[in-house]
Amino acid sequence: MTAIVARHGPRYAPQVHEVTGFVVDVDDGPRVWISGDTVMFPGLAARLTELRRERPVDLAVAHCGAVGFPHALGFRHARFTFDAAEAIAACRLLDAKTILPIHRSGWAHFQQPETDLRSAFAAAGLEERARFLELGATLTL
């Protein structure tokens, strides 16, 4: 397991870099990228590109929801996790075989409805790769 860069919100947010994503490499097995609570930024895009070159990613676990706090002074338009467009961009950089969007519904701070997320993946042509698990469901690698 390797920790990789992540950024939980805009540059000006306190403790913005105190989060990580992870890559899980199993010898002779799957490679899994877990985004963690992050937004897209140049350092992450560069690292995802490197990951793709090193070894294909079998599963991308993308934290979505476009988390935001529209009533918080100074953060009204800020996001703290991927929106659909960023999740799609990250998964394309990785060319992930399977995509598991998580962290997508159930909390008041999610600013992008799951229906929009599903529609965006379909519109991007990634519908066949994306798996939207319901509570209690399992994905076998």
Side-chain angles (χ1 to χ4, degrees):
M1 182 171 298
T2 305
I4 65 167
V5 297
R7 191 173 85 194
H8 197 27
R11 285 189 319 269
Y12 57 86
Q15 301 171 327
V16 71
H17 289 289
E18 292 185 15
V19 296
T20 55
F22 296 94
V23 175
V24 180
D25 280 302
V26 178
D27 290 339
D28 298 322
R31 185 175 216 200
V32 179
W33 169 68
I34 304 167
S35 71
D37 284 352
T38 190
V39 294
M40 185 59 78
F41 64 103
L44 178 58
R47 185 64 181 115
L48 296 179
T49 300
E50 288 173 13
L51 287 173
R52 180 180 177 176
R53 279 191 224 127
E54 292 167 3
R55 179 176 168 214
V57 171
D58 298 290
L59 175 64
V61 181
H63 290 218
C64 299
V67 166
F69 303 96
H71 302 294
L73 192 60
F75 294 100
R76 288 194 176 118
H77 302 290
R79 272 185 308 93
F80 293 82
T81 61
F82 286 151
D83 61 8
E86 287 183 337
I88 289 165
C91 292
R92 282 191 168 143
L93 285 171
L94 291 168
D95 194 25
K97 294 175 188 169
T98 304
I99 302 163
L100 182 62
I102 64 169
H103 196 266
R104 61 186 201 267
S105 63
W107 293 83
H109 63 280
F110 292 144
Q111 302 300 302
Q112 186 171 46
E114 184 173 338
T115 53
D116 292 357
L117 181 65
R118 287 176 182 261
S119 295
F121 271 90
L126 296 173
E127 190 171 33
E128 294 297 316
R129 294 186 198 184
R131 305 289 181 269
F132 288 85
L133 296 183
E134 301 305 322
L135 290 177
T138 302
L139 176 66
T140 302
L141 300 178

